[in-house]
Amino acid sequence: MNWNLAEQLPEAGGCRHNFNAIIAGYINAIYMKLRETDCNDSIVVGLSQPSLGLGANEVVTSYAKELIEGEVSQNLFRIVERIFNRLPAKIDDCSPALEFVNAICHVLDLDPAVHDEVYNLKCNLLKLIGVGEFSEKAVWIDRTVSFVVPQIICKACNHCRDLDLGRDPHRSDVAWLCPLCNTDYDNNEIEGLILEIINKKFLAYNLQDMQCKKCGQIKMENLMMRCQCASEFMGLLPKADFVKLLEKFYKLAKTFNMKIVKEFIEN
């Protein structure tokens, strides 16, 4: 199993190992129960909208709820308490135990059939580490950086694929790897593609049309300060999106030692 979400967790205290073990064990238990159950006899067919996930099988749904309330809860209480005692909180007052709770409950809550059980489990785990269930810290936030560069070709085997710079599992500490021959991709080539993307985005942002905030009319004359409806103009491309893209590339540049990209964004 490979979860990008698990990469946000520290390796210390067994956070990543326990995350993968709990999720893999839960999925395997559900799979084995599905094999034992005759799905054709237990599927509930809705008149308007079919059920999705475990909700389509009443027997497996009941088993999943019992599993979360029983074995999974007991294991998580023990693991979270150990992580909380061993690893101190970070500077931003976000402890590894809290990150572990948010991450694993987020995955378990992907199936709406067990939402109530996972919610109760998360509340109890948060109480264990002294965090309120309605606290902003109790909300899972995806901190992974994701940007897909299309058609990256391996120079060793000519394998072509789209490369997610932030979430691709085939990578080392300093480079991305080909999934077939395990050869390093040329970082200089990828860095050049990133610079080209930044330049195109920067050019598009500077040359974008201006649109009226109220009526949506495109600005026709450069000297017009306001629209005919007396409203102000705004750009079609939000500045926040461009800044967010630069922040993504800056994080990638720091991780994979792209000095030119890093220097370009800093300046």
Side-chain angles (χ1 to χ4, degrees):
M1 296 181 64
N2 182 35
W3 293 83
N4 290 110
L5 184 148
E7 296 181 2
Q8 302 179 28
L9 302 175
E11 294 185 0
C15 291
R16 292 188 186 180
H17 171 74
N18 288 317
F19 175 88
N20 290 323
I22 291 293
I23 297 301
Y26 175 75
I27 293 176
N28 182 68
I30 298 299
Y31 171 73
M32 297 302 295
K33 187 64 177 180
L34 282 170
R35 292 190 61 181
E36 296 175 1
T37 306
D38 185 5
C39 297
N40 294 328
D41 294 337
S42 56
I43 290 180
V44 179
V45 180
L47 296 178
S48 58
Q49 183 178 359
S51 299
L52 300 176
L54 295 179
N57 192 307
E58 294 181 354
V59 176
V60 180
T61 300
S62 300
Y63 174 76
K65 292 179 179 180
E66 294 176 359
L67 188 64
I68 292 176
E69 292 176 341
E71 182 180 351
V72 173
S73 295
Q74 294 177 5
N75 291 334
L76 284 178
F77 286 140
R78 174 175 49 82
I79 293 171
V80 171
E81 184 177 11
R82 183 171 66 247
I83 295 175
F84 183 71
N85 293 331
R86 290 183 179 180
L87 301 180
K90 298 180 181 179
I91 299 177
D92 56 358
D93 201 26
C94 183
S95 66
L98 176 59
E99 294 181 359
F100 179 83
V101 171
N102 288 337
I104 202 162
C105 289
H106 178 74
V107 174
L108 293 175
D109 197 35
L110 291 176
D111 196 319
V114 293
H115 171 74
D116 293 339
E117 287 71 23
V118 175
Y119 178 79
N120 293 332
L121 171 62
K122 184 176 182 179
C123 292
N124 293 328
L125 291 174
L126 291 174
K127 289 180 182 178
L128 184 64
I129 59 178
V131 178
E133 59 182 287
F134 299 108
S135 173
E136 295 181 355
K137 301 176 184 178
V139 179
W140 178 78
I141 300 175
D142 186 7
R143 294 185 176 88
T144 57
V145 180
S146 177
F147 188 85
V148 179
V149 178
Q151 299 181 355
I152 298 297
I153 301 176
C154 175
K155 295 183 178 180
C157 66
N158 293 326
H159 175 65
C160 180
R161 70 185 181 107
D162 295 341
L163 177 64
D164 191 327
L165 299 180
R167 297 179 177 177
D168 190 83
H170 305 285
R171 63 184 181 187
S172 63
D173 294 335
V174 295
W176 294 273
L177 306 175
C178 174
L180 295 184
C181 64
N182 210 35
T183 301
D184 292 358
Y185 287 127
D186 188 356
N187 272 20
N188 293 329
E189 180 181 353
I190 296 177
E191 190 171 13
L193 292 174
I194 293 177
L195 290 173
E196 183 179 355
I197 293 172
I198 293 176
N199 286 327
K200 289 182 178 180
K201 294 289 185 180
F202 187 75
L203 182 62
Y205 179 78
N206 286 326
L207 299 180
Q208 66 177 310
D209 291 328
M210 304 297 291
Q211 185 181 37
C212 176
K213 293 182 179 180
K214 184 177 181 180
C215 66
Q217 183 178 355
I218 300 298
K219 183 178 181 181
M220 302 300 295
E221 299 180 7
N222 294 331
L223 298 180
M224 290 179 59
M225 298 299 296
R226 290 181 176 271
C227 180
Q228 294 178 354
C229 66
S231 180
E232 297 179 348
F233 290 103
M234 66 177 183
L236 293 176
L237 303 177
K239 180 181 178 181
D241 293 346
F242 183 65
V243 173
K244 187 176 181 180
L245 180 65
L246 292 179
E247 291 176 349
K248 285 185 179 182
F249 287 141
Y250 187 75
K251 291 180 180 179
L252 292 171
K254 290 177 62 178
T255 303
F256 293 95
N257 195 26
M258 298 181 180
K259 297 181 180 179
I260 300 178
V261 174
K262 183 180 178 182
E263 183 179 353
F264 182 84
I265 296 175
E266 288 177 345
N267 297 333

